[in-house]
Amino acid sequence: MKLLRYGPEGAEKPGMIDAGGTLRDLSDHVADITGDTIDDATLARLRALDPTSLPAVEGTPRIGPCVGNIGKFLCIGLNYSDHAAETGAAIPEHPILFFKANSAIVGPNDDVMMPRGSTHTDWEVELGVVIGKRAKYVSAADALDHVAGYCIVNDVSERHFQTQLTGQWTKGKSCDTFGPTGPWLVTRDEVGDPQTLDMALDVNGTRMQTGNTSTMIFTVAQIIEHLSALFTLHPGDVITTGTPPGVGMGIKPEPVFLKEGDVMELTIAGLGQQRQKVGQDA
């Protein structure tokens, strides 16, 4: 299933994309797509519905983040060997963890706004993992049973804030609008193996990133095993799992960063597409 949330910011409704690509309203069946409604039992109930019996949504409404009331927004850094190489970083021994502030989360096609003083805002297409069942001390063998589904995340990053403003990466990762998420939450049964997904990102129509989740250093299952040994993962938590090569900071001979008016377009196989225009905070 492809589940999503549509409508004005803060007033999104739950929806489903049917086999023909039509957006269907789920409001009569769930209040929202959140950690409270993405457990296996609820997903099975929604899967049993005849999508053609659901009201079709007219027009082209705004698409919101595919999960509402996200709990923890967890991010894994330097998780692709070829991306680590382009940044000159060593291959990590364990998953590198940082957090994005939840106030960074926006819809997949909402504008990305560079904060005041930004000169090094960068792009990162990433596979997002949405937890559907509580996970504590979970083995890699069982980890994917705790996943509700997957989505696209753009881990937008202000590199100067990230590396030069003394402190943790969170400073450059958590600016408002720096976490476009969606368009859909694609349930794990439809995705299958999360380590075989092609992914790409274009800026102004030029391909910048091309990759496949098969080149992750730590797989989705290994990440869940590692994190769940440190703290409990709850339904509605989102883990974004790292980016392939082609980010702006890695371009030679000179890095390239985003500017006002640029357009980013992101795709991951089976998970849809994002499109954001870059603006500038006043």
Side-chain angles (χ1 to χ4, degrees):
M1 286 187 298
K2 296 180 175 70
L3 303 176
L4 73 162
R5 302 169 66 249
Y6 68 95
E9 182 178 359
E12 292 92 347
K13 296 181 178 181
M16 173 191 293
I17 300 294
D18 70 16
T22 298
L23 171 57
R24 302 281 180 169
D25 182 34
L26 278 175
S27 298
D28 289 340
H29 300 276
V30 288
D32 200 351
I33 306 299
T34 69
D36 294 330
T37 59
I38 54 174
D39 58 281
D40 285 349
T42 302
L43 293 180
R45 178 168 60 83
L46 296 179
R47 196 175 290 114
L49 297 173
D50 175 5
T52 62
S53 70
L54 302 171
V57 177
E58 300 296 330
T60 54
R62 169 187 173 269
I63 304 301
C66 59
V67 182
N69 299 324
I70 289 174
K72 296 185 286 293
F73 200 1
L74 305 157
C75 308
I76 305 300
L78 296 175
N79 196 33
Y80 285 72
S81 54
D82 35 12
H83 172 56
E86 76 173 342
T87 63
I91 299 297
E93 294 183 22
H94 309 284
I96 294 174
L97 174 66
F98 61 93
F99 287 75
K100 274 185 181 285
N102 286 30
S103 52
I105 299 168
V106 291
N109 304 316
D110 291 342
D111 289 348
V112 165
M113 303 300 292
M114 296 185 298
R116 293 179 184 178
S118 171
T119 56
H120 293 71
T121 298
D122 205 347
W123 54 84
E124 294 191 11
V125 59
E126 305 203 4
L127 173 66
V129 180
V130 182
I131 298 298
K133 181 170 66 174
R134 181 182 183 275
K136 179 69 171 176
Y137 299 123
V138 172
S139 70
D142 296 330
L144 298 188
D145 292 340
H146 295 260
V147 173
Y150 303 90
C151 63
I152 304 173
V153 174
N154 189 354
D155 177 20
V156 185
S157 308
E158 214 299 339
R159 302 300 187 186
H160 179 80
F161 294 4
Q162 178 185 350
T163 62
Q164 301 301 315
L165 298 186
T166 306
Q168 299 178 337
W169 287 6
T170 298
K171 289 184 178 181
K173 299 284 191 171
S174 289
C175 304
D176 293 350
T177 74
F178 273 24
T181 302
W184 312 316
L185 167 61
V186 183
T187 52
R188 70 175 188 270
D189 60 302
E190 185 166 328
V191 173
D193 184 358
Q195 304 305 150
T196 62
L197 304 178
D198 289 329
M199 53 204 308
L201 182 146
D202 296 349
V203 178
N204 300 328
T206 298
R207 180 59 46 86
M208 306 304 291
Q209 289 187 274
T210 302
N212 187 283
T213 56
S214 63
T215 64
M216 283 184 184
I217 298 167
F218 303 103
T219 66
V220 171
Q222 290 170 330
I223 291 167
I224 292 172
E225 178 181 56
H226 181 74
L227 296 183
S228 72
L230 304 174
F231 45 77
T232 303
L233 299 173
H234 294 283
D237 288 349
V238 174
I239 306 167
T240 185
T241 55
T243 198
V247 299
M249 70 179 294
I251 294 175
K252 303 294 190 295
E254 293 292 332
V256 174
F257 297 109
L258 293 166
K259 62 185 183 301
E260 187 174 5
D262 285 347
V263 174
M264 296 177 282
E265 294 177 288
L266 298 74
T267 59
I268 297 181
L271 302 185
Q273 181 176 8
Q274 294 187 354
R275 184 182 189 276
Q276 300 107 29
K277 185 175 181 180
V278 179
Q280 176 70 62
D281 274 348

